[in-house]
Amino acid sequence: MRELRIRTLAGIFALALVLSWAGARMWDALGTLPAVPVAAPIVLAVIATVLTATALSIRARLRAQRERRPGAKGVEPMMAARAVVLGQASALVAALAAGAYGGAGVYLLFGAMDVPARRDQAVYAGLSVLAGAAVVVAAVFLQRVCRLPEDDEEPPPPAAAAA
């Protein structure tokens, strides 16, 4: 399984932010801009909490297993792989959602802060970006916890092709 890179997530965030900002400008010019849901930062924060709790649990179990504590519960490789996949998927979706809410928030911040409802929407968008960043941090932490230790041995050199 390949490791998810921060660069990839930052690129997704930036692209979503720019597209969302442009879309918000166009949508507001044509009609009413849709509201940022109040539940968006809450849901993202719950996902970040679940990922963090999973990472801490796996880390504690791996540490107990490494220290050979009596009664230590090991970590099944398939469970760790599923946790990493969940973390990577969550990070990708959170980067996209944070970029989308960030673009709408930037438009609201610079375009319409005089209306109280729009000010609230900008706050919800900002909280969604922060919660999305928390999901990304928790997912990267989970990925690092579940990483296999590097082999100490050098890989054997490839055999020379016989001519």
Side-chain angles (χ1 to χ4, degrees):
M1 184 179 314
R2 293 182 55 186
E3 189 172 314
L4 189 60
R5 300 198 179 274
I6 299 292
R7 246 189 336 243
T8 304
L9 296 172
I12 290 170
F13 172 78
L15 182 64
L17 187 129
V18 169
L19 291 175
S20 176
W21 173 78
R25 283 187 62 189
M26 182 181 71
W27 200 318
D28 199 35
L30 296 176
T32 305
L33 183 66
V36 176
V38 177
I42 297 168
V43 169
L44 288 169
V46 167
I47 293 170
T49 304
V50 167
L51 290 176
T52 302
T54 302
L56 292 173
S57 171
I58 290 174
R59 185 176 73 169
R61 289 170 65 180
L62 286 173
R63 182 176 293 149
Q65 188 177 8
R66 233 183 352 257
E67 295 172 354
R68 300 182 192 266
R69 292 184 192 155
K73 214 171 154 184
V75 177
E76 295 179 27
M78 192 55 120
M79 194 230 9
R82 287 180 182 148
V84 170
V85 168
L86 173 67
Q88 288 181 347
S90 298
L92 289 168
V93 171
L96 185 64
Y101 290 129
V106 167
Y107 173 74
L108 291 169
L109 192 63
F110 291 114
M113 287 301 286
D114 53 337
V115 179
R118 293 252 174 142
R119 224 174 304 140
D120 292 343
Q121 293 300 307
V123 168
Y124 299 150
L127 291 174
S128 297
V129 170
L130 291 175
V135 170
V136 168
V137 168
V140 169
F141 176 57
L142 176 60
Q143 182 174 267
R144 297 246 165 99
V145 164
C146 292
R147 186 178 354 186
L148 292 174
E150 297 294 326
D151 290 334
D152 292 335
E153 301 174 10
E154 292 284 325

